[in-house]
């Protein structure tokens, strides 16, 4: 894992303060995910995933069964719903599908939370990633509310 740290830091400069000893923590892994991979809504997360390369589409299924795209997460970004689920210790509130092959680093939740507490630049990055994608989410809520009202 240590030999991959320079590439990870080049994608996520906010991780540059994290010590090499912390990168040695058990459970931190690199994964290559292909477009056939889908993560279903309603699961509890055991890893935080930072996307180094590729694209992931976040979506919900409306009450009528229609798939609604919330937003996309690209290389150098992380999913704000994932962060919210991890920090709030709740089920993941969307589904995710790989659109373009992804290289990701998966960090165990306990390590992720420790880094959030100890590394200010990492915490700031995580908190700043949320507003951009979440500002797109009202589109889903409006659509699902409209569909629900029409059905009633």
């Amino acid at each position: 894992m240590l030999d991959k740290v320079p590439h990870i830091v080049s994608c996520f400069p906010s991780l540059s303060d994290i010590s090499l000893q912390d990168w040695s923590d058990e459970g931190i892994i690199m994964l290559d995910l292909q477009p056939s991979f889908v993560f279903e809504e309603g699961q509890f997360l055991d890893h935080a995933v930072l996307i180094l390369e590729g694209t992931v589409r976040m979506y919900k299924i409306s009450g009528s069964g229609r798939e609604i795209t919330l937003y996309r997460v690209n290389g150098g970004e992380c999913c704000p719903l994932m962060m919210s689920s991890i920090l709030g210790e709740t089920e993941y509130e969307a589904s995710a599908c790989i659109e373009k092959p992804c290289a990701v680093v998966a960090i165990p939740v306990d390590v992720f939370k420790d880094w959030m507490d100890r590394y200010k630049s990492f915490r700031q990055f995580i908190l700043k990633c949320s507003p951009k994608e979440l500002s797109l989410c009202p589109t889903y809520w409006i659509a699902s509310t409209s569909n629900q009202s029409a059905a009633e």
Side-chain angles (χ1 to χ4, degrees), residues 87-99:
L87 297 173
E89 299 178 359
T90 59
E91 295 175 348
Y92 192 62
E93 297 182 29
S95 294
C97 70
I98 306 301
E99 286 191 325

Side-chain angles (χ1 to χ4, degrees), residues 32-102:
D32 290 319
L33 304 175
Q34 298 306 310
S36 60
F37 182 82
V38 174
F39 185 83
E40 298 290 332
E41 178 177 359
Q43 299 179 38
F44 283 93
L45 303 173
D46 54 4
H47 285 78
V49 176
L50 304 177
I51 301 173
L52 304 172
E53 299 165 11
T55 302
V56 179
R57 183 175 63 90
M58 313 311 297
Y59 65 95
K60 296 273 290 180
I61 305 294
S62 72
S64 64
R66 198 174 84 200
E67 195 173 282
I68 301 167
T69 297
L70 300 174
Y71 54 87
R72 287 174 172 76
V73 182
N74 298 296
E77 299 176 340
C78 60
C79 174
L81 287 177
M82 177 187 63
M83 300 306 154
S84 175
S85 294
I86 289 171
L87 297 173
E89 299 178 359
T90 59
E91 295 175 348
Y92 192 62
E93 297 182 29
S95 294
C97 70
I98 306 301
E99 286 191 325
K100 294 180 184 173
C102 289

Side-chain angles (χ1 to χ4, degrees), residues 140-150:
Y140 163 74
W141 301 117
I142 291 168
S144 67
T145 303
S146 297
N147 289 340
Q148 199 170 42
S149 297

